[in-house]
Structure formats: C-alpha cells, structure tokens
C-alpha cells in the first residue's frame, strides 16, 4: 500500500471511529455512575433516524443534530426511569431499548417515506460536510482539517470527559456513586439525581454519534445501519477499563479494523488469494471477541454497576 493508500486508510479510520467514540464515552459516563448501558446500539440507531429525518424536513443538518440528541436523550430517560426509579434489571432495560429502536425506526420510516424504512437522500446543507474547504491542499491537510464539524466535536469530548470526571467535584461524586452509593447518600447527595445526570449525558453523546452516522458518514438513514457499533463501543469501553483516553485508543483500534476490512475486500492476499467478503466483514467482530477474551478478566468495572440503589430507612 502506497502513501496515498495509507492516508486514505487513516481518513477512513478517523471517520469510522467517531460513532464508536461517542457511544463508548456515553457508556463511560453511564457505567461510572453505576448504570450499565446495553442500549447504546438503540440510542445510536434512533438518533441516526431522527437526525436524518429532521435534516431532510428542515434542510439543515444542525436541526438534525438537535433532533438526534433529543431522540437519544428521550430513550436514555426511558432507560433511566426503568433502571433507576423503578430499580429494574438494567441489562433487560437496555436490550428493550435496542429492540424498540430497531422496530420504531423501520416502522416510522416506512410509514413516512414508503422506502422500506429508509429516508430520502440528504444533500447540501442537509449533511455535515467538511468544516473547512481544503480541497486544493495536500492530502494530509485534507485528512486533518477537511472533516465535518461532528468529528472535531467528538474528539473534543475526550479531554472534556477526562477533565470533568477526574478534576471536578461533580465528576468525583459521579464516580463515587458508581463505587459506593450508600456513602454518597450518607453525605446528603442525591444518588438518583447523579445517576440521571449521567444517563442524560450518555443520551447526548449517543445523539451526537447517531447524528454523525445519519448525516455525515451516510447520506440518509437505512434500517439497522448502526450494524452493531453500540456493542463494539461496549467492548472498547471494557478494553479501555472505563477510562477516557484509553477509550479513544480502543475506538481508534476498532475503527482501524473496520476501515481495514473495507479496504481488504476484493484484494488478493499473498498465500491466501482473495478472501471471501463475509470473512473480511467479520474481522472487526472477530477481533472484538479476541480482545475481550484476553482483557476482560483484567478489567474491573465500577463496583456498583448494575446494582439498583435502595435507600436505607
């Protein structure tokens, strides 16, 4: 592969990393507060649909972004109500969110547009295109500065998440809720309020990731277009041991594997010949299993994750 091919692979890796990164950081916020979020996939999917539909209706990708964030946050609140207020099983609630999003997007999309659940193609201002016009610059400049607004926003979320969780009082309390909620409650701090705050932040982050999928990575919505990205983000979160900067590295790794799987389709591999498309497409998911099998035993989640808190009387 020549230099231009490597730059193209790097650009593809960056773009494919963004939705994984947003979902991974969303899971980080939620699980640091003690709420397991299996519903990342569903929130990404509903946000992608809402963003594409709103962008098409209004002619503005920014309204689509707000719609995606709103839809994802609504689903996050449903998950929060079930798992925090009603003390339901957080795994079951997350699975229900995924199933609800898959069904709603297909049914509503087909009812509105009659295209098998797809939205009409987005064009011009309906999409998040390159923030800076660097088409006449070198290829490396295009890779670094020719990305959409959401790419830079998502990357900015990494240091922001690290700083808030590690350096602020709110972050310290949030992490304490995920470890020993009874101690936080004894100090007079609302465990419920902190967990809802984390769930809402997770909804916003998933909304950004979903909007990127529907209005930047693709020119519209397709049923099931998230293709397991929420679950890969969960794997990246475990691989990163629930930390912000390692989460960026893990998402870049999975984004690279997905970009590589696209580049390898139809390529003759020495000694193996042309690999079947199905085998190439399965590469990111196979590596997910391999990496988790090697690292999941060493990753220790927040102690209170998955445990509903019942206030002692």
């Amino acid at each position: 592969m020549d230099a231009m091919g490597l730059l193209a692979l790097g650009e593809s890796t960056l773009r494919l990393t963004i939705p994984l990164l947003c979902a991974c950081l969303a899971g980080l916020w939620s699980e640091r507060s003690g709420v397991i979020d299996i519903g990342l996939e569903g929130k990404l999917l509903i946000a992608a649909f809402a963003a594409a539909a709103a962008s098409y209706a209004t002619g503005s990708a920014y309204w689509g972004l707000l719609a995606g964030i709103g839809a994802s946050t609504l689903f996050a609140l449903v998950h929060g109500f079930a798992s925090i207020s009603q003390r339901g099983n957080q795994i079951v609630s997350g699975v229900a969110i995924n199933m609800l999003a898959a069904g709603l997007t297909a049914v509503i999309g087909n009812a509105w547009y009659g295209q098998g659940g797809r939205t009409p193609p987005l064009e011009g201002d309906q999409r998040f295109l390159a923030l800076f016009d660097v088409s006449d610059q070198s290829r490396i400049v295009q890779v670094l500065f020719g990305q959409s607004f959401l790419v830079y926003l998502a990357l900015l979320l990494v240091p922001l998440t690290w700083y808030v969780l590690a350096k602020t009082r709110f972050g310290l309390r949030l992490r304490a809720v995920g470890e020993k909620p009874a101690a936080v409650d004894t100090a007079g701090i609302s465990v419920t309020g902190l967990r809802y705050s984390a769930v809402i932040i997770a909804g916003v982050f998933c909304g950004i990731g979903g909007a990127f999928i529907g209005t930047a990575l693709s020119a519209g919505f397709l049923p099931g277009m998230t293709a397991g990205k929420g679950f890969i983000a969960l794997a990246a979160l475990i691989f990163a041991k629930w930390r912000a900067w390692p989460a960026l590295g893990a998402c870049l790794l999975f984004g690279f594997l997905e970009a590589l799987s696209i580049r390898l389709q139809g390529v003759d591999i020495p000694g193996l010949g042309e690999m079947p498309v199905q085998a190439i497409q399965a590469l990111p998911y196979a590596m997910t299993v391999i990496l988790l099998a090697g690292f999941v035993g060493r990753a220790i989640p927040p102690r209170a994750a998955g445990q509903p808190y019942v206030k002692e009387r």
Side-chain angles (χ1 to χ4, degrees):
M1 187 180 296
D2 58 9
M4 294 301 293
L6 289 174
L7 284 174
L9 180 62
E11 182 177 20
S12 181
T13 296
L14 178 61
R15 288 170 57 82
L16 292 171
T17 294
I18 297 305
L20 296 177
L21 180 61
C22 291
C24 186
L25 293 177
L28 173 62
W29 278 94
S30 183
E31 297 197 12
R32 275 295 189 179
S33 73
V35 180
I36 294 177
D37 198 349
I38 301 296
L40 296 175
E41 178 81 3
K43 291 198 285 286
L44 282 177
L45 189 62
I46 194 67
F49 173 77
S55 295
Y56 177 75
T58 63
S60 171
Y62 289 95
W63 281 112
L65 173 62
L66 292 178
I69 291 174
S72 176
T73 303
L74 179 61
F75 270 55
L77 287 172
V78 171
H79 178 57
F81 177 75
S83 59
I84 301 172
S85 299
Q86 301 303 312
R87 305 186 185 93
N89 187 294
Q90 297 173 7
I91 303 296
V92 174
S93 175
V95 172
I97 290 294
N98 293 334
M99 296 175 66
L100 181 61
L104 275 180
T105 53
V107 172
I108 296 176
N110 190 53
W112 284 0
Y113 305 110
Q115 300 181 15
R118 297 176 297 174
T119 61
L122 304 180
E123 300 176 353
D125 291 340
Q126 297 173 337
R127 295 190 62 195
F128 279 104
L129 302 175
L131 187 61
F132 306 107
D133 184 11
V134 291
S135 56
D136 57 343
Q137 303 295 320
S138 65
R139 182 62 175 168
I140 191 169
V141 172
Q142 293 178 27
V143 172
L144 294 176
F145 302 104
Q147 305 300 323
S148 70
F149 161 72
L150 293 184
V151 171
Y152 305 110
L153 176 60
L155 293 175
L156 182 62
L157 294 179
V158 178
L160 180 63
T161 294
W162 169 81
Y163 179 80
V164 173
L165 288 178
K167 301 295 183 179
T168 67
R169 179 179 299 179
F170 172 72
L172 177 62
R173 290 175 174 177
L174 191 72
R175 289 188 288 120
V177 165
E179 297 290 339
K180 290 187 177 295
V184 176
D185 189 36
T186 302
I189 302 170
S190 173
V191 173
T192 298
L194 283 171
R195 286 187 168 179
Y196 264 110
S197 298
V199 166
I200 291 172
I201 292 172
V204 172
F205 281 28
C206 277
I208 295 173
F212 179 81
I213 295 173
T215 61
L217 197 60
S218 301
F221 177 82
L222 293 170
M225 69 185 307
T226 49
K229 286 182 172 58
F231 299 110
I232 294 179
L234 278 175
L237 178 61
I238 297 170
F239 185 47
K241 299 181 180 180
W242 291 269
R243 294 176 296 171
W245 286 109
L248 173 60
C251 290
L252 282 170
L253 173 61
F254 286 112
F256 169 76
L257 291 173
E258 187 174 354
L260 185 63
S261 69
I262 296 173
R263 296 281 296 182
L264 288 178
Q265 293 182 25
V267 176
D268 286 330
I269 300 177
L272 297 175
E274 185 175 336
M275 295 290 290
V277 174
Q278 293 82 359
I280 296 298
Q281 291 176 338
L283 179 62
Y285 306 100
M287 289 302 297
T288 299
V289 175
I290 294 171
L291 290 173
L292 285 183
F295 291 91
V296 69
R298 308 174 194 173
I300 302 176
R303 297 178 186 178
Q307 302 175 10
Y309 178 66
V310 180
K311 185 175 182 178
E312 298 180 1
R313 298 184 181 278

